[in-house]
Amino acid sequence: LTEPPGSPLAAETMRAAGLLLAWALLRAVATQQCHLAGGVLRFTDTHAEIRVPALHRVPSSLDPLYGLVRHCLDLIQQNPLPTELLRAALNDPGSVRPAQVVQYELGYVVCAVVALLFTVAVPVAGMCFCYCRSRRRCGGRLRAHRRSLGCRRHCLVTCLSLTSLIILTSVICAFVTSQRVKGQMEPGLRAVPATLRTLRQHIANVPQGVQMVVDQFEVPRQQIISDLGGLSRSVGLSIHAQLKATTYAALAELQDRAGDLQTSLHHLQILDKTARELAAARAELEPALREQRRRAVALLDDPRCTSCASVLGRAQSLELGADYGKVPSVEKVLKALAGLPRSDFAEMIRQGNGTFNSIPELAVERMAQLIQDLRDEMARVTEKVQSIADGFPLPEYTHPASEALGKAEERSRPYLREVERFERYRWIAGTVLCSIILLILACNVTGMALGTYGLSKREDPSDYECRGEAGAKFLLLGVGLAFLFSWLLILLVFATFLVGGNIQTLVCRNWINQEIYKFVDTPGNLPPSMNLTRQLNLRRDSNLSATYRECKSGAGLWEVLQLDKSYDLDEHLKTPKYTADFQKRLGDFTARLGDVRLLRNEGRQDLETFARSGVDEVDYGRFQEEMKNPVVQTSLPALARSLEALQKMQRNSTVAGRLATEAQALWQMQNSTVQSQEALVAKLAESVRFLSRLAPHLQERVKTTLATTASVEAQLPVQAQQILRQEIGCFTRKELRYFAQYLNWVGQTLREDVASCQPLATALDNGRVILCDRIADPWNAFWFSLGCCTFFLIPNIIFAIRLSKHFRPIRNRLISTGSEETCPFHIPRVTALKL
């Protein structure tokens, strides 16, 4: 601690302290994290009004029925897609041979033969039945009453009931599916031109949509401009916040050393002055004290003084105590500190504190030009972003597709009107025929109810009963209706079956397994007038299947159309293309924001002089040892009180008076001289106590303060520059995230919405859902249900005719000995015995 400041050891110590402080500060700065978190930008949805909503198959309680019908159609039509037949039909219709059609439609031909047989056989059978009825040869009454008649009647009722139940279930399904077809047909037909129109609008509105997407750059631009407005102050405040603890600590330490200098100088001056005053006072007190001791000893040694021997010893030891002429001199130290402090430490600290606290304002001033340059750069970036819309290649290449979609929309309208008209006829015919089936079922139920009730009221099977006869007539009425309308039913069933079955097996099945796309993709299958690749201006190296898959996966229109040159959207949306200059300006910016002068040269020299002054070399222990001795060895007040006590004991008035005089003299010496010296000793003790506490640590504290101050002054600009780079880096990353958010949104919006070809794939999928899932499935379920009703009319007719005979009186009674029912007038044997 007492090493001279100029020695190599002191220099190494100061350097080590400075390096340690610099490492601590740099480590603290390096651990700071970015506190600027970029928010999520909100962009306006600009293209929602012309989207093609995706349709999906809706689960239904009739799905098992639909699956059963599809399975039946797969069994009827097991042939794959007739590519050769379709190629011939599309390119040269005259070359199609009927045998080819029959071979492919063999399953339907078989069904047509069955329908034709049904159409002819059932009405002919009905006419034969009517002829027989007119001749009373069939459908009349039973000719004999047999034992098994009741069992047969119950069996017929059960069979007719089951048949009627099956027909009822089928007709309900026919009603429901017919209504579903009607409910789906109208919106499905409207969806065709609407979808084509939407696709055409989607393609036509691509330039406006792209421009609207580009205009949305205003969102990140405004956010970045707003962030730029607060960048400089934020950087300044961050530098101030991260460095204030170290700077304030250095200023506080400097203030403490300045206070030590001022206080030490003050106490050294007190020490020197007080020691001189005490030495002078001792010199003045010594003769007076010697004379006072001589008089007191002579008086107490006088034989006339009674009991004075006990006090004589204390009077003889009346001598001076502490000798402050022996303490070390501090004149050399005071001479070294003469004229200090030469600098105003308070003003110096105030200026350093003010300079450091002005860093935020200084940052605003130094970064003003950078902020303006970045704002100008944002205007140039806006022009670069506009190039996305200016260079977008679609407007001149989408005209063929728009024209083709417009023609398809116009040409589809007459066909759709015809389909709607025929659907209205189908619904009317289906509703009427289903109502007739319900009427037949009503005749069956009414006939069975009346017939059964009539049988229960009839006592003799040969008796006429009006309710049973009415039941038989209702059953025959249902039979007549079945004969009359069965041919209409089978014609409606076959017509709808032929249309719906071919739609399912020829279109829907091959649409689902992509066979239709393969057929369209094969060169030569379609005539030149139906070349979709050329009409839609698709890429020549692509086909409909590939285009569909690309559109399904979210490709853009520019990726599937035939362009003069390829257009890479990802290349146009690379972030560095728009942020390179912005990022470079921020990366190249430098500014000195930490030039703070904490200690000027005058103040440094004052502290170094203070450390070299020798304050710590003074032997303050000698002062403390000397201050342990009293001013006078014998207590003057105690001796004076002893003399006053002896005065009262004296009989000799002369001796008593002399004792009083000596006591008064002692009190006067105590009060006038000794007490003043004791006050000086107390003052001296305070200064010695302060200096003795400061002296051991003076060199270390001054060296540490000088090293800390020098290190802080040297490191503040470096650390401020590091914090500046860090804050600018955080700001750059934050703003680049805004650019990236916008460009990612642009790419996603162009691919998935504004310039997406996904609506084309969605339209194709919607067409399959509408045609196959929402129309063909209930359509096929309708003819299947109606066909069940029709074919189950045959057993219904048979059971109804057979059962009607049981509800009429028996024509002839045949007696059987084995049955009481057939021998109603037989007299029991027991009764005969009694007679």
Side-chain angles (χ1 to χ4, degrees):
L1 296 176
T2 58
E3 187 72 24
S7 66
L9 180 60
E12 290 297 327
T13 304
M14 294 180 66
R15 185 185 302 172
L19 291 175
L20 181 63
L21 178 62
W23 175 83
L25 294 175
L26 290 174
R27 187 174 185 272
V29 171
T31 57
Q32 297 294 325
Q33 300 295 328
C34 290
H35 61 276
L36 299 173
V40 178
L41 300 178
R42 303 294 181 185
F43 301 102
T44 304
D45 190 358
T46 59
H47 213 56
E49 68 277 2
I50 53 175
R51 287 177 180 163
V52 178
L55 302 179
H56 303 283
R57 179 184 180 88
V58 180
S60 170
S61 58
L62 295 176
D63 285 344
L65 177 60
Y66 298 159
L68 176 62
V69 176
R70 285 195 295 269
H71 185 66
C72 292
L73 288 173
D74 290 338
L75 293 177
I76 294 172
Q77 178 56 281
Q78 300 181 8
N79 296 321
L81 183 69
T83 55
E84 298 296 332
L85 179 61
L86 290 176
R87 182 188 299 113
L90 292 174
N91 291 276
D92 187 10
S95 64
V96 177
R97 292 174 299 175
Q100 292 177 303
V101 178
V102 171
Q103 182 180 1
Y104 174 72
E105 298 281 358
L106 184 60
Y108 293 98
V109 171
V110 173
C111 294
V113 171
V114 173
L116 180 62
L117 291 176
F118 188 95
T119 304
V120 174
V122 175
V124 169
M127 288 186 291
C128 293
F129 177 75
C130 292
Y131 178 77
C132 291
R133 282 289 297 148
S134 64
R135 296 288 182 173
R136 299 181 179 272
R137 292 183 179 180
C138 58
R141 292 181 291 176
L142 293 175
R143 296 183 178 274
H145 190 91
R146 300 187 179 277
R147 182 177 184 180
S148 60
L149 194 60
C151 181
R152 292 174 60 189
R153 183 172 62 249
H154 291 310
C155 182
L156 289 173
V157 169
T158 302
C159 292
L160 184 59
S161 299
L162 289 176
T163 306
S164 300
L165 183 62
I166 293 173
I167 295 174
L168 177 62
T169 304
S170 300
V171 79
I172 291 174
C173 291
F175 263 121
V176 172
T177 53
S178 178
Q179 287 301 121
R180 288 201 178 182
V181 172
K182 182 177 184 297
Q184 294 294 336
M185 184 68 75
E186 185 176 354
L189 295 177
R190 286 200 305 267
V192 173
T195 301
L196 294 174
R197 183 168 56 254
T198 301
L199 291 175
R200 188 159 44 84
Q201 291 175 353
H202 171 75
I203 295 175
N205 290 342
V206 166
Q208 296 89 332
V210 174
Q211 184 59 49
M212 294 173 70
V213 168
V214 169
D215 292 342
Q216 287 292 303
F217 181 68
E218 187 68 15
V219 175
R221 193 187 75 84
Q222 289 293 343
Q223 183 64 48
I224 293 172
I225 294 296
S226 175
D227 292 346
L228 285 173
L231 172 62
S232 55
R233 179 161 293 276
S234 174
V235 170
L237 291 175
S238 181
I239 294 174
H240 184 272
Q242 295 186 42
L243 298 181
K244 67 180 180 181
T246 304
T247 305
Y248 288 165
L251 289 172
E253 191 173 350
L254 181 61
Q255 188 173 11
D256 291 341
R257 298 294 80 76
D260 289 344
L261 173 60
Q262 296 280 1
T263 308
S264 297
L265 182 60
H266 173 69
H267 282 291
L268 285 171
Q269 291 171 348
I270 290 176
L271 186 66
D272 182 67
K273 180 180 179 182
T274 303
R276 290 176 182 277
E277 289 177 356
L278 286 172
R282 188 180 191 281
E284 293 177 3
L285 180 61
E286 184 176 6
L289 184 61
R290 189 184 309 115
E291 179 62 26
Q292 183 66 39
R293 181 182 61 188
R294 186 190 62 79
R295 289 198 308 268
V297 169
L299 177 60
L300 294 174
D301 197 32
D302 191 343
R304 295 175 294 173
C305 185
T306 305
S307 303
C308 292
S310 59
V311 184
L312 180 60
R314 283 191 289 170
Q316 290 175 346
S317 63
L318 192 62
E319 296 177 354
L320 289 175
D323 185 2
Y324 289 96
K326 301 177 181 179
V327 296
S329 175
V330 294
E331 291 182 2
K332 182 180 178 181
V333 177
L334 288 174
K335 185 178 179 180
L337 297 177
L340 296 184
R342 287 186 292 271
S343 58
D344 188 351
F345 281 94
E347 179 62 20
M348 192 186 310
I349 292 172
R350 188 190 65 79
Q351 289 180 1
N353 194 28
T355 303
F356 178 74
N357 290 333
S358 65
I359 286 179
E361 288 73 20
L362 182 62
V364 173
E365 178 183 348
R366 298 281 175 85
M367 298 180 70
Q369 185 60 44
L370 172 67
I371 301 301
Q372 184 58 43
D373 292 343
L374 291 175
R375 287 174 175 167
D376 297 340
E377 181 62 29
M378 287 304 299
R380 289 189 287 272
V381 172
T382 302
E383 296 176 359
K384 293 180 182 178
V385 172
Q386 180 60 38
S387 66
I388 297 176
D390 297 340
F392 208 67
L394 287 185
E396 60 270 25
Y397 298 103
T398 56
H399 180 71
S402 298
E403 185 177 355
L405 291 172
K407 290 180 179 178
E409 180 183 354
E410 291 299 324
R411 292 175 180 177
S412 66
R413 293 185 184 278
Y415 297 103
L416 295 176
R417 284 194 293 268
E418 290 298 317
V419 171
E420 186 176 6
R421 184 167 63 88
F422 284 117
E423 163 57 20
R424 188 181 306 112
Y425 295 155
R426 182 211 62 81
W427 180 80
I428 294 173
T431 303
V432 172
L433 292 177
C434 287
S435 301
I436 291 174
I437 293 175
L438 288 178
L439 182 59
I440 293 172
L441 293 178
C443 292
N444 289 346
V445 173
T446 305
M448 286 188 291
L450 291 175
T452 303
Y453 182 73
L455 287 177
S456 65
K457 295 298 183 180
R458 185 190 304 168
E459 295 181 358
D460 190 332
S462 60
D463 292 344
Y464 177 82
E465 210 283 322
C466 62
R467 284 163 292 197
E469 185 68 23
K473 291 181 178 180
F474 270 109
L475 290 176
L476 293 179
L477 177 60
V479 170
L481 292 174
F483 280 128
L484 185 61
F485 292 99
S486 60
W487 66 279
L488 292 176
L489 286 169
I490 198 65
L491 288 179
L492 179 60
V493 169
F494 181 74
T496 53
F497 159 72
L498 187 62
V499 175
N502 277 289
I503 290 176
Q504 173 61 36
T505 57
L506 186 61
V507 179
C508 295
R509 186 171 66 188
N510 295 293
W511 198 339
I512 294 173
N513 59 22
Q514 307 290 311
E515 290 296 327
I516 287 183
Y517 295 120
K518 296 178 182 178
F519 175 80
V520 174
D521 294 339
T522 303
N525 283 349
L526 295 179
S529 60
M530 297 178 64
N531 190 337
L532 297 179
T533 301
R534 183 175 56 81
Q535 290 185 1
L536 297 178
N537 195 31
L538 301 179
R539 291 199 321 266
R540 294 189 180 91
D541 60 344
S542 180
N543 51 44
L544 188 61
S545 299
T547 302
Y548 171 77
R549 286 192 298 269
E550 291 178 13
C551 293
K552 188 78 172 177
S553 62
L557 283 171
W558 66 92
E559 295 174 317
V560 300
L561 294 180
Q562 178 64 38
L563 308 180
D564 289 341
K565 59 181 179 178
S566 62
Y567 180 79
D568 189 356
L569 180 64
D570 294 331
E571 184 66 28
H572 288 77
L573 296 182
K574 287 184 176 179
T575 304
K577 182 177 180 180
Y578 306 96
T579 62
D581 294 339
F582 184 88
Q583 193 172 359
K584 185 176 184 302
R585 288 181 182 276
L586 286 170
D588 294 344
F589 176 76
T590 57
R592 293 186 63 85
L593 299 176
D595 292 334
V596 180
R597 192 69 180 274
L598 302 181
L599 182 63
R600 291 195 294 268
N601 291 332
E602 297 84 359
R604 183 177 298 276
Q605 292 174 1
D606 286 349
L607 291 180
E608 291 176 350
T609 302
F610 178 43
R612 294 193 304 265
S613 64
V615 175
D616 55 332
E617 299 175 0
V618 176
D619 188 1
Y620 298 103
R622 293 282 303 278
F623 283 92
Q624 293 172 346
E625 290 177 1
E626 202 64 40
M627 286 186 295
K628 292 178 182 178
N629 299 322
V631 177
V632 181
Q633 293 291 351
T634 301
S635 176
L636 295 182
L639 182 58
R641 284 191 290 271
S642 297
L643 293 179
E644 288 173 352
L646 288 175
Q647 176 194 356
K648 296 177 182 179
M649 297 171 57
Q650 302 301 317
R651 296 176 181 177
N652 189 329
S653 59
T654 302
V655 174
R658 288 177 63 188
L659 288 171
T661 301
E662 292 302 326
Q664 185 177 2
L666 289 173
W667 281 114
Q668 184 178 1
M669 183 179 292
Q670 172 68 28
N671 294 332
S672 61
T673 303
V674 175
Q675 283 187 355
S676 63
Q677 291 188 35
E678 289 177 346
L680 291 174
V681 170
K683 186 177 181 181
L684 179 66
E686 181 181 354
S687 297
V688 169
R689 190 163 46 250
F690 173 80
L691 292 172
S692 62
R693 286 198 304 266
L694 175 66
H697 309 288
L698 177 61
Q699 292 284 347
E700 179 185 2
R701 290 178 180 176
V702 172
K703 290 177 182 178
T704 303
T705 300
L706 292 175
T708 300
T709 305
S711 177
V712 169
E713 286 181 348
Q715 292 299 325
L716 273 180
V718 178
Q719 296 158 16
Q721 184 66 23
Q722 289 179 350
I723 297 173
L724 173 66
R725 299 309 318 151
Q726 175 183 310
E727 292 296 318
I728 288 180
C730 292
F731 176 81
T732 303
R733 288 191 292 274
K734 175 184 175 183
E735 306 312 314
L736 290 183
R737 281 196 291 270
Y738 290 141
F739 279 105
Q741 282 187 52
Y742 170 72
L743 294 175
N744 290 337
W745 176 80
V746 169
Q748 181 181 3
T749 304
L750 290 181
R751 281 193 172 92
E752 298 179 3
D753 193 354
V754 174
S756 172
C757 75
Q758 193 169 14
L760 299 176
T762 303
L764 290 175
D765 292 339
N766 290 350
R768 183 189 58 78
V769 170
I770 293 174
L771 178 63
C772 300
D773 296 337
R774 299 192 176 182
I775 295 179
D777 278 349
W779 177 288
N780 291 326
F782 166 74
W783 64 253
F784 184 83
S785 302
L786 194 62
C788 289
C789 296
T790 304
F791 282 102
F792 271 94
L793 284 178
I794 296 176
N796 179 82
I797 292 172
I798 296 172
F799 295 143
I801 294 174
R802 299 289 300 274
L803 184 60
S804 64
K805 295 180 180 182
H806 290 265
F807 294 154
R808 287 177 170 169
I810 297 176
R811 191 182 299 267
N812 297 320
R813 260 180 90 241
L814 297 178
I815 299 175
S816 174
T817 57
S819 175
E820 291 186 2
E821 182 182 354
T822 57
C823 302
F825 301 105
H826 177 71
I827 300 174
R829 182 178 301 176
V830 176
T831 305
L833 290 174
K834 287 181 180 180
L835 293 173

